[in-house]
Amino acid sequence: QVQLVESGGGLVQAGGSLRLSCAASGRTCSSYAMGWFRQAPGKEREFVAVISRSGSSTNYADSVKGRFTTSRDNAKNTVYLQMNSLKPEDTAVYYCAARPGVILRGSYEYDYWGQGTQVTVSS
């Protein structure tokens, strides 16, 4: 089992950047593929990005491709989401999640979730 805690959210102007962190405790996060999801008010939770256990493979939603980058430092049990060129439509609560095995995009595939961190992008 693994516990996840996100941090790094906040208020930023359109065009700005934020870096989210997801710290894992319990079982080492190198055992898990790590995904990022977001949920805006009144909308369903959606996939943002995922990184494989080793960090060698990543996958992104089309809406963030070229602007967001996910990475991980298994020695620190931490996963990151670097968000650049932020847009108002990126406003949401961002969650990290963990699953054993290969990278997948469906939120239902993930076993463990953090509590989320709010990202607000002003126009």
Side-chain angles (χ1 to χ4, degrees):
Q1 190 159 346
V2 62
Q3 294 78 43
L4 305 173
V5 178
E6 303 95 336
S7 61
L11 174 64
V12 63
Q13 289 188 331
S17 298
L18 283 174
R19 188 176 81 156
L20 305 184
S21 298
C22 174
S25 61
R27 194 170 178 183
T28 60
C29 74
S30 60
S31 300
Y32 299 93
M34 299 295 294
W36 290 95
F37 295 82
R38 66 186 182 187
Q39 188 166 19
K43 295 188 176 181
E44 293 187 354
R45 189 170 298 186
E46 66 174 358
F47 168 77
V48 175
V50 61
I51 187 166
S52 63
R53 288 175 292 176
S54 67
S56 61
S57 296
T58 56
N59 192 271
Y60 298 92
D62 288 344
S63 59
V64 306
K65 200 172 294 183
R67 300 188 298 122
F68 290 13
T69 302
T70 187
S71 61
R72 66 191 301 160
D73 185 339
N74 285 340
K76 295 183 178 179
N77 270 344
T78 303
V79 180
Y80 305 98
L81 184 67
Q82 178 67 44
M83 305 186 295
N84 298 328
S85 302
L86 282 161
K87 305 175 181 180
E89 51 264 44
D90 294 318
T91 296
V93 177
Y94 283 71
Y95 300 88
C96 68
R99 70 175 309 278
V102 301
I103 58 175
L104 292 171
R105 296 165 63 111
S107 61
Y108 54 90
E109 303 280 1
Y110 288 76
D111 299 319
Y112 306 104
W113 291 82
Q115 83 290 348
T117 186
Q118 176 71 47
V119 171
T120 302
V121 184
S122 63
S123 57

